Amino acid sequence: MDRSNKPSAIGVGASLPQPSLSIKDNVIEASLPTGQSVQVHLYGATVTSWKTNGKEQLFVSEKAHLDGSKPIRGGIPLVFPVFGPPPQNHATSSLPQHGFARNSNWEFLGKSTSDAPGKDSDKADLTVKLDFGLSHSMLTEEFREAWPYEFGLVYSVTLTKDTLETSLQVRNEGKQNFEFQVLMHTYLSIEDISDVRVKGLDTKTYLDKTLQGSSHVETSAALAITQETDRVYQNLDPAVPIDVTSAKSDQSLFSITREALTDVVVWNPWIEKAKGMADFGPDEAYKNMICVEAGSVASWQTLEAGEAWEGGQSIKSRL
């Protein structure tokens, strides 16, 4: 499938090193001359690695299936067109949990590079953007029958010196309106969950999925994770960052801003649930990850025939 508004490569001068790209075994990897790198599996268009300063920023389970047999446990799985178990009597009812985007084979559409003025006047900060596509005709017969709408998805992963950006464009290419939800199920790598606090959620309403989806208001300015946590925070201002911080140093570890994604899920399986998931490991790994997931899941987006929608997130790491 073709990218709409395909970006053109911007020359940065022959004297400057360029980003590198490798494709092997359905895995796309891009690196910047400054050392940052990102890795994306074509199965699910799942980002499975993001490194800055030589350090991995994303958590991937040691037991994750990387052979296309199951959605990948970790990295940034893409949830579309339904979040969680599909509701009954809805157009998504016959789909699996979290839809089909994370367990479909995507197409690599290509890369583009650009430069921005660097801190030094004689240098430029390079960025590399990877685009991936999925359409109705690329789905398995089972998924096409379960969700028979004509659509086009373009998922863009952009690596800069300081950030990782992921954005999704959804196009309705058919004659029928359809509803959808979307979520970027980001697993962040951390050293110790007991030291982590999540800021930017106080006074916000959330649904607690560990308490039958009951509604609550967040009272903590710095949310600590001390048990199984599965909360859907609703109607947030996407421009206001969600900060993952260290309680000991009060320093920001990650800062996440969003565009058109007004909900944020905070998830950690904790002890018993981690042991109960066959593809989560080691069992103690819940201490080394936290999911902070940007999405639009509290209600449904309606896309009319011929229309398009786009949303995304930008994650800045200070690790």
Side-chain angles (χ1 to χ4, degrees), residues 94 98 160 219 289:
S94 297
H98 291 336
T160 78
T219 58
M289 54 74 62

Side-chain angles (χ1 to χ4, degrees), residues 199-201 237-243 255-258:
K199 297 183 177 181
L201 300 172
D237 182 348
V240 176
I242 303 298
D243 286 318
S255 184
I256 305 164
T257 54
R258 292 87 57 214

Side-chain angles (χ1 to χ4, degrees), residues 35-275:
Q36 296 80 5
S37 66
V38 65
Q39 185 181 86
V40 185
H41 279 245
L42 288 181
Y43 185 73
T46 305
V47 179
T48 52
S49 176
W50 168 36
K51 292 180 180 178
T52 63
N53 300 318
K55 188 169 184 178
E56 181 59 61
Q57 308 297 315
L58 300 177
F59 168 84
V60 175
S61 166
E62 289 184 0
K63 298 180 181 179
H65 295 261
L66 301 176
D67 59 358
S69 61
K70 287 187 64 176
I72 296 171
R73 173 72 67 185
I76 310 180
L78 184 61
V79 173
F80 177 92
V82 61
F83 169 66
Q88 294 182 351
N89 303 315
H90 189 265
T92 59
S93 295
S94 297
L95 291 174
Q97 174 167 301
H98 291 336
F100 53 71
R102 65 182 186 146
N103 41 7
S104 291
N105 290 306
W106 290 60
E107 176 187 6
F108 178 49
L109 301 177
K111 80 171 177 73
S112 55
T113 60
S114 63
D115 67 302
K119 294 180 180 179
D120 300 322
S121 59
D122 60 340
K123 294 183 179 179
D125 288 338
L126 289 173
T127 70
V128 60
K129 178 183 176 186
L130 308 176
D131 286 334
F132 303 86
L134 184 69
S135 62
H136 175 79
S137 63
M138 296 169 62
L139 298 181
T140 63
E141 182 178 356
E142 177 186 2
F143 287 153
R144 289 198 304 270
E145 291 178 355
W147 205 70
Y149 299 97
E150 295 287 341
F151 70 93
L153 304 181
V154 175
Y155 183 52
S156 299
V157 178
T158 303
L159 177 68
T160 78
K161 188 176 180 180
D162 301 313
T163 64
L164 182 70
E165 301 169 8
T166 61
S167 65
L168 181 70
Q169 182 190 83
V170 183
R171 298 195 306 272
N172 185 341
E173 298 179 342
K175 297 180 179 179
Q176 291 180 289
N177 298 354
F178 62 73
E179 294 182 321
F180 70 93
Q181 297 172 326
V182 63
L183 179 107
M184 296 167 186
H185 199 310
T186 307
Y187 289 72
L188 298 172
S189 177
I190 56 174
E191 291 187 2
D192 182 2
I193 190 66
S194 67
D195 181 47
V196 163
R197 301 293 184 269
V198 184
K199 297 183 177 181
L201 300 172
D202 51 311
T203 75
K204 305 305 181 185
T205 299
Y206 67 90
L207 302 181
D208 193 329
K209 297 176 73 175
T210 70
L211 296 173
Q212 293 77 48
S214 52
S215 180
H216 305 263
V217 175
E218 184 57 67
T219 58
S220 175
L223 175 67
I225 308 299
T226 59
Q227 59 188 347
E228 180 187 349
T229 302
D230 193 354
R231 299 179 177 184
V232 183
Y233 290 86
Q234 302 176 317
N235 300 317
L236 308 183
D237 182 348
V240 176
I242 303 298
D243 286 318
V244 179
T245 65
S246 164
K248 294 177 183 176
S249 66
D250 199 34
Q251 296 297 307
S252 177
L253 306 176
F254 298 95
S255 184
I256 305 164
T257 54
R258 292 87 57 214
E259 184 174 343
L261 299 176
T262 56
D263 306 315
V264 170
V265 176
V266 177
W267 181 75
N268 183 288
W270 212 245
I271 302 168
E272 293 306 317
K273 191 159 189 176
K275 290 180 179 179

